[in-house]
Amino acid sequence: MTMSTTIERGPAGSADAATTRAMTVPDGPPPRARRASSASRIGRAPRGVVVLKWAVIAIAIGFTLLPILYLVTMSFKSPDDILSTRILPSRIAWENWASAFEQAPVLVYLRNSLIAAAIAAVVALAVAIPANFAMARLRTGGSRSMALIVSAYVAPPIVAVIPLFMLVRTAGLMDNVIGLGLIEGLMVTPVAVWLLDGFFRGIPEEIDEAAQIDGCGPVRTLVRIVLPLVAPGVVAVAIIAFILVYNDFLIPLMLTQSTASQTLPVGIALMQGGREVMFGQMAAASLTGMIPVYLLALFLQRWLVGGLTQGSIK
């Protein structure tokens, strides 16, 4: 503590009327600096909490990357290493990658998967966007229409395989990549409708009223006003539909029969030798098929995260 002395003068202003008074001034920073330092201490998380947070993040990343790392190590393992359940290969078996592309048309399978998934995403959006606009903005279909649409996706696909097979064969779309994309697009349409519902309902109704005052009809309002506002959500739903179709196995297995139309999941399942399963080649083909999806998610990450975040906020 420091001491300071001040002099107070009486009304007459004379020196003998002067009195002295001691005043104490505390040491340390001024009140504003103390408030700022205390606020910073309050906003800063304890060290234990920070360490725990990063530990949880590291564990989550590890569990996410573990299957990929397992595929990478398996793609470089020899058959003996795979049978011996070694974690790391005793030698780098580069021949697995060359054999995967020699014994199976991996690039043809990959092309078919990309084409079918792209067609399916376009078909799903072409149906889901007008349906969501009609239900959310025009109030058509009733309050239970969304539940009925989503219930169509709840049932396992295997229950519809036989009637679907008969319909596709009658329509002449069997063993056809374009036909597969159309069927897959219709099957993921309920998911697209469900995901887009939040985006369309999150737009204020005043925007539609302003468009009607300006003379816009429903179609023009959708194309010129609403669709640009929900563009991030449309991109996010397109990516999700693309990935769902790209990874599907059952429907391509039932509707494709030749190499020219089979997708990558089906082609990988068929990579079997006479008496053994070619695990190393299958791992190499699986990693090859993962590359386009990871690149798609990487380059469209801003749209994907932004779209999903926008759809979660009403």
Side-chain angles (χ1 to χ4, degrees), residues 45 60 75 130-131 170 191 215-216 226 257 278 285 308-310:
S75 66
T170 303
V191 179
C216 294
V226 177
Q257 299 166 347
M278 299 180 291
L308 294 178
T309 304
Q310 177 182 342

Side-chain angles (χ1 to χ4, degrees), residues 122-248:
V122 173
V123 171
L125 290 178
V127 178
I129 290 175
N132 279 106
F133 181 77
M135 290 186 296
R137 316 306 299 178
L138 303 181
R139 300 293 190 270
T140 59
S143 59
R144 302 189 177 217
S145 56
M146 180 60 64
L148 294 175
I149 293 175
V150 175
S151 64
Y153 193 78
V154 173
I158 191 66
V159 300
V161 164
I162 295 178
L164 182 63
F165 177 83
M166 301 300 295
L167 289 173
V168 171
R169 188 178 65 176
T170 303
L173 298 177
M174 280 293 298
D175 201 26
N176 190 302
V177 178
I178 297 178
L180 176 63
L182 294 175
I183 299 301
E184 290 274 23
L186 295 176
M187 295 192 70
V188 298
T189 296
V191 179
V193 173
W194 177 55
L195 293 176
L196 284 175
D197 182 67
F199 297 100
F200 278 85
R201 295 188 186 276
I203 301 175
E205 296 182 357
E206 290 78 9
I207 295 179
D208 294 353
E209 296 174 357
Q212 293 177 1
I213 293 175
D214 291 339
C216 294
V219 177
R220 189 176 179 184
T221 302
L222 171 61
V223 176
R224 302 289 299 274
I225 307 298
V226 177
L227 199 56
L229 295 176
V230 298
V234 172
V235 175
V237 173
I239 296 173
I240 294 174
F242 182 93
I243 294 175
L244 288 176
V245 176
Y246 187 84
N247 295 328
D248 191 25

Side-chain angles (χ1 to χ4, degrees), residues 59-83:
I59 293 173
I61 294 175
F63 275 109
T64 303
L65 297 179
L66 186 61
I68 302 175
L69 296 176
Y70 182 77
L71 277 178
V72 172
T73 57
M74 181 176 289
S75 66
F76 292 107
K77 286 183 179 180
S78 63
D80 295 336
D81 290 338
I82 294 175
L83 294 177

Side-chain angles (χ1 to χ4, degrees), residues 260-273:
S261 59
Q262 289 173 335
T263 58
L264 188 61
V266 177
I268 293 175
L270 297 177
M271 294 179 64
Q272 301 181 10

